[in-house]
């Protein structure tokens, strides 16, 4: 299975604080059946350039790869980013460099306030002018406002992709809403959004169980297949 959202890179953002912790997170993921994990460290425009972020990410990836060569048993790593929404992102032609692996799928963290039509238009412009498919990170967090929920549904209808965090399926609060979304759309992506080995550790195995039990194994297979197809797409 694939984990599409994680912060395991050491000292990159508010995620893992050491190579040791990163390796523990990766091993735990692997042991629960994750064979591919997308590294989605936070990218905040204005804080650093895309170029600096990529250099920093490559350094951390390299240090981790060197360290794990002897330890084995970790998932394959695909480089990506969790890009915080910003005004003007729709026209930022460097953004495709932060897409997941070689694809045109970009994980976007949306604002936590009530969205305006401009918010939707920015995401739309990512799709229309840059051919990027926005993947809305932890989509369950934006359902607080009716207006946002309505806009999410419109964006999904237009081709954006929902990413759901495991915790929303494990806990009671949003489980029913997320299961409904999964049953309706099926083409969603799942992520642990793991940050450490304490309160936010890899936990996708528990979400898989919930989906299997409540939406069926076939549904989980579709999600898995959808994720694989995305990762196989290349931006050539
Ligand atoms: Fe995240």
């Amino acid at each position: 299975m694939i984990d599409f959202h994680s912060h395991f890179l050491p000292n990159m953002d508010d995620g893992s604080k050491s190579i040791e912790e990163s390796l523990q997170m990766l091993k735990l993921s692997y042991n629960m059946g994750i064979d591919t994990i997308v590294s989605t460290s936070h990218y905040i425009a204005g804080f650093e350039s895309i170029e600096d972020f990529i250099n920093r990410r490559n350094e951390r990836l390299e240090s981790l790869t060197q360290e794990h060569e002897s330890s084995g048993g970790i998932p394959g790593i695909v480089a990506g980013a969790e890009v915080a929404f910003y005004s003007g992102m729709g026209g930022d032609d460097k953004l495709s460099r932060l897409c997941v692996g070689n694809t045109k799928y970009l994980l976007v963290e949306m604002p936590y306030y009530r969205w305006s039509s401009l918010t939707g238009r920015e995401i739309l412009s990512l799709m229309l002018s840059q051919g990027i498919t926005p993947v809305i990170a932890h989509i369950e967090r934006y359902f607080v406002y009716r207006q946002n929920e309505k806009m999410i549904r419109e964006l999904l209808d237009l081709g954006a992709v929902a990413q759901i965090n495991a915790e929303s399926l494990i806990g009671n609060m949003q489980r029913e809403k997320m299961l409904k979304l999964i049953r309706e759309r099926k083409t969603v992506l799942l992520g642990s959004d793991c940050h450490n080995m304490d309160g936010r550790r890899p936990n996708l195995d528990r979400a898989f169980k919930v989906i299997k039990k409540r939406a069926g194994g076939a549904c989980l297979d579709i999600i898995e297949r959808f994720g694989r197809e995305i990762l196989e797409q290349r931006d050539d």
Side-chain angles (χ1 to χ4, degrees):
M1 298 294 291
I2 306 165
D3 185 346
F4 266 93
H5 188 157
S6 68
H7 300 265
F8 65 85
L9 278 187
N11 301 310
M12 184 70 192
D13 56 6
D14 58 341
S16 165
K17 291 285 174 276
S18 66
I19 289 184
E20 292 70 34
E21 187 171 33
S22 302
L23 287 174
Q24 283 174 11
M25 291 165 77
L26 288 171
K27 281 180 183 168
L28 179 60
S29 300
Y30 187 74
N31 290 337
M32 66 176 64
I34 305 296
D35 58 60
T36 307
I37 188 163
V38 184
S39 149
T40 54
S41 304
H42 292 287
Y43 172 73
I44 301 164
F47 176 71
E48 69 183 329
S49 68
I50 289 176
E51 183 118 40
D52 288 348
F53 173 87
I54 291 174
N55 288 340
R56 211 155 58 82
R57 186 185 67 186
N58 290 348
E59 262 173 41
R60 305 297 195 278
L61 269 171
E62 218 167 283
S63 64
L64 201 54
T65 317
Q66 278 171 1
E67 195 62 37
H68 105 265
E69 262 164 12
S70 53
S71 56
I74 66 165
I77 297 170
V78 178
E82 180 178 8
V83 178
F85 177 91
Y86 59 96
S87 154
M89 72 188 300
D92 190 340
D93 57 8
K94 294 188 204 76
L95 260 185
S96 59
R97 297 184 66 197
L98 296 180
C99 285
V100 173
N102 293 312
T103 75
K104 288 283 261 180
Y105 286 75
L106 184 77
L107 186 68
V108 182
E109 180 173 36
M110 297 298 288
Y112 294 103
Y113 48 78
R114 195 189 303 267
W115 303 348
S116 72
S117 55
L118 287 177
T119 320
R121 246 178 271 164
E122 200 76 69
I123 297 298
L124 211 53
S125 138
L126 266 182
M127 294 195 252
L128 298 178
S129 40
Q130 300 200 56
I132 287 177
T133 301
V135 178
I136 314 287
H138 33 61
I139 206 156
E140 68 276 2
R141 291 194 194 167
Y142 315 111
F143 279 54
V144 185
Y145 297 108
R146 250 174 214 282
Q147 159 92 349
N148 295 7
E149 184 171 345
K150 188 173 166 274
M151 212 177 279
I152 282 174
R153 291 191 185 280
E154 286 167 3
L155 289 171
L156 295 182
D157 286 342
L158 289 168
V161 172
Q163 182 265 307
I164 298 173
N165 271 9
E167 65 183 359
S168 71
L169 291 157
I170 298 165
N172 289 326
M173 288 263 289
Q174 294 146 313
R175 188 192 293 144
E176 298 311 317
K177 209 164 221 182
M178 288 306 110
L179 281 169
K180 187 167 179 276
L181 187 77
I182 287 172
R183 285 191 201 102
E184 278 170 10
R185 308 249 170 198
K186 294 192 179 66
T187 48
V188 301
L189 299 174
L190 303 171
S192 65
D193 201 0
C194 59
H195 277 64
N196 50 48
M197 281 299 284
D198 299 317
R200 300 185 73 181
R201 56 203 276 142
N203 58 355
L204 263 178
D205 55 341
R206 295 171 65 197
F208 296 153
K209 276 185 198 145
V210 174
I211 296 173
K212 206 168 182 181
K213 190 172 168 201
R214 300 286 313 280
C219 196
L220 198 56
D221 290 343
I222 292 172
I223 293 174
E224 166 73 0
R225 212 159 41 236
F226 178 58
R228 297 268 165 222
E229 278 167 14
I230 286 178
L231 292 183
E232 278 160 19
Q233 284 175 22
R234 299 185 68 86
D235 173 27
D236 291 330

